[in-house]
Amino acid sequence: METVETKIENGIGWIILNRPDKLNAINLKMLEELEEVTKNFEENNDVKVIIFTGNGKAFSAGADISQFKELNSISAWNFAKKGRRVMDYIESVSKPTIAMINGYALGGGLELALACDFRIAAEEASLGLPEINLGIYPGFGGTQRLVRAIGKAKAMELMMTGDKIPAKEAERIGLVNKVVSLSSLKEETIKFAGKLMEKSPIALAILKHVILYGNDSPLLDGLNMESLGWGVAFSTEDEKEGVNAFLEKRKAIFKGK
């Protein structure tokens, strides 16, 4: 891999954006590698939770603007489609995903974080979608995911002004789940991942599917999806273990079966 690093530690699959000299700017090669390594981790039974972060002082400062001069309307469209497809895939993986935001999360970098299930940021982090300052707008799904995350009014403000906001403000408006000091960021993110790893992987996967796709459906369809998924969860060994553990007053040990 040229633009990302990966490792597996204690059930966590780490995907680390690795262009620190470019503030981890996202180019076509990085998109291709992000898709590949995410797929590898989704298929690896040793990985229970996937964490995305960046090397250096940025999570990712966005798309690599130096390549924009080479784009025309067709190649720009294809680049945006590629980016959106990768973000769609990251959002859809069955395992929980966390964006550990260690610094700048701007443009495509924030769009990557928005594709994750959870976002934990360092106090020093800065977040925004400033593409409007280039005469364009977010193209990797930000126009849709930001609205769903924080509501139409605030999302339009951030995208149309191009303003960057500090992590504490992002937490206040619901853009990130938690803000911690940079020195404790990794520890707190691993701790949060540990909570997820204690749960049934099957129940988490079904729940994620119901939330993501049920929320974009008419209410009745979403409720039916919830009921069907609930029935599927009852067919698993994990459900039996969870109920037995509760009745026996012990901690459940889920095996993803």
Side-chain angles (χ1 to χ4, degrees), residues 6-241:
T6 63
K7 59 182 178 180
I8 301 173
E9 294 178 343
N10 302 316
I12 298 173
W14 291 87
I15 297 177
I16 305 165
L17 310 187
N18 190 35
R19 299 184 73 206
D21 57 321
K22 300 289 187 180
L23 296 179
N24 299 318
I26 300 171
N27 57 15
L28 183 59
K29 184 65 174 178
M30 182 179 284
L31 287 174
E32 292 170 348
E33 293 185 352
L34 280 171
E35 187 173 30
E36 180 180 348
V37 297
T38 303
K39 183 178 181 181
N40 290 343
F41 278 169
E42 182 175 26
E43 296 174 350
N44 189 326
N45 291 331
D46 293 331
V47 175
K48 308 302 180 187
V49 175
I50 302 172
I51 297 177
F52 294 82
T53 192
N55 263 337
K57 62 181 181 180
F59 177 79
S60 170
D64 189 344
I65 298 174
S66 65
Q67 68 183 1
F68 283 11
K69 288 186 177 182
E70 304 169 5
L71 300 179
N72 57 36
S73 58
I74 299 301
S75 58
W77 180 36
N78 287 329
F79 180 64
K81 286 195 298 180
K82 173 69 173 181
R84 195 202 70 199
R85 189 178 78 241
V86 173
M87 303 309 160
D88 289 350
Y89 178 69
I90 290 170
E91 182 180 56
S92 71
V93 297
S94 58
K95 299 174 181 179
T97 55
I98 304 171
M100 189 177 87
I101 303 172
N102 52 306
Y104 298 114
L106 305 173
L110 181 55
E111 289 173 295
L112 171 58
L114 283 165
C116 296
D117 300 323
F118 307 98
R119 290 166 288 281
I120 300 176
E123 293 172 344
E124 297 85 347
S126 179
L127 301 87
L129 293 175
E131 289 92 337
I132 197 70
N133 296 323
L134 300 176
I136 54 176
Y137 58 84
F140 289 175
T143 62
Q144 304 305 305
R145 290 193 176 94
L146 186 63
V147 172
R148 286 161 171 76
I150 65 174
K152 179 180 175 182
K154 196 64 181 178
M156 289 186 73
E157 177 188 336
L158 289 179
M159 286 187 278
M160 289 187 169
T161 64
D163 287 347
K164 298 184 286 292
I165 59 173
K168 280 293 185 181
E169 174 65 7
E171 181 182 36
R172 188 188 70 80
I173 64 176
L175 181 52
V176 301
N177 298 88
K178 189 175 185 179
V179 174
V180 299
S181 66
L182 181 60
S183 61
S184 64
L185 178 61
K186 185 175 181 179
E187 177 186 353
E188 291 295 327
T189 306
I190 290 173
K191 186 185 300 184
F192 186 81
K195 290 183 179 181
L196 297 171
M197 288 190 286
E198 292 177 352
K199 314 305 179 186
S200 162
I202 300 175
L204 286 175
I206 297 171
L207 174 60
K208 179 174 177 176
H209 183 90
V210 170
I211 291 172
L212 284 177
Y213 301 108
N215 191 56
D216 287 335
S217 305
L219 177 60
L220 183 59
D221 291 346
L223 292 172
N224 284 330
M225 196 181 300
E226 176 188 85
S227 299
L228 286 168
W230 205 68
V232 171
F234 262 79
S235 70
T236 66
E237 293 181 19
D238 279 355
E239 181 274 334
K240 295 176 178 61
E241 165 64 11

